[in-house]
C-alpha cells in the first residue's frame, strides 16, 4: 500500500495555489448565474436553507473525501480509482466512478460553454454602452435577441471552448495556476461593489427577504433535489474535478482546512451574487422565477443606471468569463489526465480532443435556445435543460454518493486517517458524516424526488 505516489502531471506549487485553483473551479457560473435563478425558481429562502444545509452536511464531507482519494491515487480519477482498488483488492467496478465523472464533465462543459458564451458576448455589449439608460424591456430584448441567434451563440461558444482548451493544453503550473491567481480576488471585490449598489436600491429589503425568509410551501421535492444538486455543482463535486486537482496537492497540506476554505469562499460568492441580484429584480418589478436569463436581464439594468456603469459592467462580465474559464478547465482535466496517462497523448491533443467533443455536444444546447426550442427531450426539457438536469441532479449526487461510500466504507480506515490527517473528535465527526449522513441524505432526497417516499 503506497501513500507516497507522485503525480506524473506535476504538482501545485503550494497549498495556497491549490486553494486558488479549486476555488477557481468551484466559483463560476454556478454561483453567479445558476444559484440566483434556481433560488428564484424555487421560492427563495427555503431553497437557500436546504442548499446551505447540503453544503455543510454533504458537500464539505464529500469534498474532503474526494480530495483525499485524489491525493492518495495521484492520477486521473479513472486511474486513481483503479490504483486504490488494487491497493486494497476491492471490487474492480469502482473504476466506474471515474468514467461517470468523465461523462458528467463533458455534458456539463457542453452547456456551460454556451452560457459562458453569453457572458463573453455581454462583455462587448457592456463596453459598447448598450446598457446605458436602458429600461427592462430593452434589456430583455437584448437577451432574447442573443438567445434567438444560433450563429452568434455558436461564435461565442466556440471562442470560449478555444480559450478553455488553450489553458488546459498548457498544463498544471503554467496554464491553470496563472489563470486563477489574480482573477478570483478581483471578481470577489467587484461583487462586493455590486452588493453595495444593490443595498441602496429601493427593492433591497424585499430582495433580501426573498432570499432569506424560508417559505417551505414554495419548495417542491424537485426543488429539494435541485438544492442538493446545486450544492454538488457549485462545489465541483462528484465528477472528479476536485479529485484530479487533489491529485496535484502537496502531501503535507491539510485537506480538511483546505476544503473548508474553498467551501466557505464558494458559498460567500453565491450569497453575495444573490444579495446583489434580487434587490434589482424587485426594484425593477421583474420576476424572480424567470429562469436561466435572470442575471442577464437584471444586472445590465444596474450597470445602465449607475455612474461608471460602462466600466463596471464590462469588468463584471469579463470577470464572470474568467470565473467560468477557471471552472471549465477543471471539467475536462479528468479526461485530459486520463488520455495523457493511458494513451500516452500529449496534453495538447488530449485537450483538443476533450474540448472538441464537448463543443460538439454543446451544439445541441445552442440550437435548443432557438430553432429546436420546442423539441422536447425529456419531460418538457430541451437538450440544454436536460443536460443540466441530468448532470446536476443525478450524475453529480450519484458520483458524490459513490465517493462517500468509497472513502467511508471501502477504503481501509487507517489509510483514510493517514491521508485526511484528522484525529479524535474531528475525525469521528467527518467520518460519521461521510459514512452515514451523506449516503442517507442523498438517498432520501433521490427517493423523495422520484415520489417513492414522502409527498
Ligand atoms: N463549480 C462550477 C460552478 O459553480 C461548475 C463545475 C461543476 C465545475 C463541476 C467543475 C465540476 O460554476
Amino acid at each position: 500500500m503506497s501513500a507516497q505516489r507522485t503525480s506524473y502531471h506535476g504538482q501545485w506549487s503550494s497549498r495556497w495555489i491549490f486553494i486558488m485553483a479549486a476555488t477557481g473551479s468551484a466559483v463560476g457560473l454556478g454561483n453567479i448565474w445558476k444559484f440566483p435563478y434556481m433560488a428564484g425558481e424555487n421560492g427563495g429562502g427555503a431553497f437557500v436553507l436546504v442548499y446551505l444545509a447540503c453544503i455543510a452536511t454533504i458537500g464539505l464531507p464529500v469534498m474532503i473525501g474526494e480530495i483525499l482519494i485524489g491525493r492518495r491515487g495521484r492520477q486521473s480519477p479513472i486511474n486513481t480509482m483503479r490504483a486504490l482498488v488494487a491497493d486494497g483488492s476491492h471490487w474492480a467496478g469502482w473504476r466506474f466512478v471515474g468514467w461517470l465523472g468523465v461523462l458528467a464533465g463533458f455534458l456539463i462543459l457542453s452547456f456551460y460553454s454556451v452560457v459562458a458564451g453569453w457572458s463573453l458576448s455581454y462583455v462587448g455589449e457592456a463596453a459598447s454602452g448598450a446598457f446605458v439608460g436602458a429600461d427592462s424591456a430593452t434589456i430583455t430584448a437584448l437577451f432574447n435577441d442573443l438567445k434567438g441567434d444560433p450563429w452568434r451563440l455558436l461564435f461565442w461558444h466556440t471562442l470560449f471552448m478555444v480559450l478553455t482548451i488553450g489553458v488546459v493544453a498548457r498544463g498544471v503550473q503554467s496554464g491553470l495556476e496563472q489563470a486563477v491567481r489574480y482573477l478570483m480576488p478581483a471578481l470577489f471585490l467587484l461583487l462586493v461593489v455590486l452588493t453595495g449598489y444593490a443595498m441602496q436600491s429601493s427593492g433591497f429589503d424585499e430582495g433580501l427577504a426573498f432570499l432569506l425568509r424560508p417559505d417551505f410551501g414554495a419548495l417542491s421535492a424537485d426543488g429539494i433535489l435541485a438544492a442538493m444538486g446545486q450544492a454538488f455543482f457549485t462545489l465541483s463535486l462528484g465528477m472528479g474535478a476536485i479529485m484530479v486537482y487533489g491529485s496535484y496537492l502537496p502531501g503535507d497540506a491539510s485537506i480538511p482546512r483546505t476544503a473548508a476554505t474553498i467551501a466557505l469562499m464558494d458559498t460567500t460568492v453565491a450569497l453575495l451574487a444573490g444579495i446583489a441580484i434580487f434587490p434589482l429584480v424587485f426594484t425593477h418589478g421583474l420576476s424572480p422565477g424567470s429562469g436561466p436569463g435572470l442575471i442577464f436581464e437584471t444586472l445590465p439594468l444596474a450597470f445602465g443606471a449607475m455612474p461608471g456603469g460602462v466600466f463596471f459592467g464590462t469588468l463584471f462580465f469579463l470577470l464572470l468569463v474568467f470565473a467560468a474559464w477557471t471552472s471549465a478547465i477543471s471539467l475536462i482535466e479528468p479526461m485530459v489526465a486520463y488520455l495523457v496517462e493511458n494513451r500516452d497523448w500529449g496534453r495538447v491533443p488530449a485537450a483538443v480532443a476533450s474540448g472538441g467533443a464537448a463543443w460538439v455536444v454543446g451544439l445541441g444546447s445552442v440550437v435548443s435556445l432557438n430553432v429546436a426550442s420546442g423539441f422536447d427531450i425529456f419531460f418538457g426539457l430541451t437538450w440544454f435543460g436536460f443536460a443540466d438536469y441530468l448532470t446536476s441532479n443525478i450524475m453529480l449526487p450519484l458520483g458524490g454518493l459513490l465517493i462517500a461510500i468509497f472513502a467511508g466504507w471501502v477504503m481501509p480506515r487507517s489509510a483514510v486517517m493517514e491521508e485526511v490527517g484528522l484525529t479524535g473528535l474531528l475525525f469521528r465527526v467527518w467520518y460519521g458524516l461521510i459514512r452515514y449522513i451523506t449516503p442517507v441524505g442523498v438517498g432520501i432526497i433521490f427517493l423523495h424526488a422520484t415520489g417513492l417516499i414522502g409527498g
Side-chain angles (χ1 to χ4, degrees):
M1 146 137 344
S2 136
Q4 305 305 330
R5 294 186 178 94
T6 48
S7 170
Y8 174 81
H9 310 276
Q11 245 189 44
W12 305 111
S13 5
S14 69
R15 181 179 91 103
W16 184 239
I17 285 291
F18 169 78
I19 292 185
M20 298 295 277
T23 308
S25 166
V27 175
L29 297 172
N31 307 63
I32 295 166
W33 160 68
K34 201 168 175 199
F35 170 75
Y37 94 75
M38 299 218 53
E41 279 182 336
N42 290 290
F47 175 91
V48 176
L49 210 62
V50 175
Y51 160 83
L52 291 175
C54 286
I55 296 269
T57 61
I58 299 176
L60 183 57
V62 169
M63 183 181 279
I64 294 174
E66 201 172 324
I67 299 174
L68 89 84
I69 291 174
R71 190 167 73 179
R72 193 120 187 127
R74 289 258 184 245
Q75 296 158 64
S76 68
I78 294 169
N79 288 324
T80 281
M81 292 307 289
R82 185 181 292 164
L84 297 189
V85 160
D87 279 354
S89 318
H90 308 301
W91 179 53
W94 280 105
R95 263 182 315 189
F96 167 72
V97 174
W99 284 109
L100 178 73
V102 164
L103 190 65
F106 266 136
L107 281 174
I108 296 175
L109 182 58
S110 76
F111 70 83
Y112 204 83
S113 165
V114 174
V115 179
W118 300 350
S119 319
L120 266 173
S121 136
Y122 269 51
V123 174
E125 301 285 357
S128 72
F131 306 152
V132 178
D135 59 6
S136 61
T138 314
I139 296 293
T140 307
L142 206 65
F143 182 64
N144 286 337
D145 283 350
L146 173 65
K147 257 194 347 185
D149 186 342
W151 295 109
R152 266 169 78 199
L153 293 175
L154 179 66
F155 173 78
W156 296 113
H157 166 54
T158 308
L159 180 60
F160 184 77
M161 201 61 90
V162 168
L163 289 172
T164 302
I165 293 171
V167 176
V168 177
R170 298 187 57 176
V172 173
Q173 295 207 342
S174 50
L176 310 190
E177 284 192 15
Q178 304 308 325
V180 290
R181 240 192 188 121
Y182 305 102
L183 301 171
M184 299 320 291
L187 178 73
F188 193 82
L189 275 182
L190 202 63
L191 267 179
V192 172
V193 170
L194 271 180
T195 308
Y197 176 82
M199 286 175 85
Q200 296 159 2
S201 67
S202 60
F204 182 68
D205 292 344
E206 206 182 338
L208 202 64
F210 177 79
L211 202 57
L212 301 181
R213 194 178 306 137
D215 167 14
F216 284 98
L219 192 64
S220 62
D222 214 38
I224 296 177
L225 177 67
M228 174 177 73
Q230 174 62 9
F232 280 99
F233 186 89
T234 192
L235 293 177
S236 305
L237 294 178
M239 53 74 55
I242 289 294
M243 195 186 288
V244 79
Y245 276 19
S247 77
Y248 310 141
L249 179 67
D252 54 1
S254 157
I255 292 176
R257 237 192 307 151
T258 307
T261 312
I262 299 163
L264 189 71
M265 293 206 264
D266 184 79
T267 309
T268 311
V269 171
L271 292 175
L272 274 180
I275 298 173
I277 286 160
F278 283 107
L280 297 173
V281 169
F282 291 104
T283 303
H284 296 275
L286 301 167
S287 152
S290 70
L294 187 65
I295 65 162
F296 297 92
E297 291 164 349
T298 48
L299 290 180
L301 286 169
F303 295 126
M306 68 170 67
V310 170
F311 174 76
F312 284 123
T314 310
L315 190 62
F316 175 81
F317 284 106
L318 201 60
L319 290 172
L320 185 59
V321 167
F322 279 115
W325 199 7
T326 55
S327 300
I329 55 185
S330 71
L331 283 163
I332 44 171
E333 180 65 16
M335 183 66 195
V336 170
Y338 173 76
L339 290 173
V340 171
E341 286 163 7
N342 282 44
R343 304 265 180 266
D344 225 10
W345 289 22
R347 281 195 71 91
V348 176
V352 171
S354 309
W359 179 84
V360 172
V361 182
L363 300 179
S365 291
V366 165
V367 294
S368 56
L369 297 166
N370 35 69
V371 285
S373 62
F375 196 69
D376 180 348
I377 297 273
F378 181 78
F379 287 100
L381 294 172
T382 59
W383 173 251
F384 177 98
F386 176 66
D388 182 13
Y389 189 93
L390 176 70
T391 49
S392 306
N393 292 5
I394 297 167
M395 294 176 89
L396 298 185
L398 181 64
L401 173 68
L402 296 173
I403 286 167
I405 295 175
F406 192 79
W409 293 95
V410 177
M411 282 176 76
R413 189 186 164 108
S414 55
V416 170
M417 263 187 113
E418 182 186 50
E419 201 65 52
V420 78
L422 286 172
T423 49
L425 181 65
L426 275 177
F427 177 77
R428 286 204 300 278
V429 169
W430 169 74
Y431 211 46
L433 285 170
I434 200 156
R435 277 164 73 92
Y436 301 102
I437 303 299
T438 301
V440 171
V442 175
I444 289 181
I445 295 176
F446 269 159
L447 291 177
H448 189 51
T450 53
L452 288 175
I453 56 169

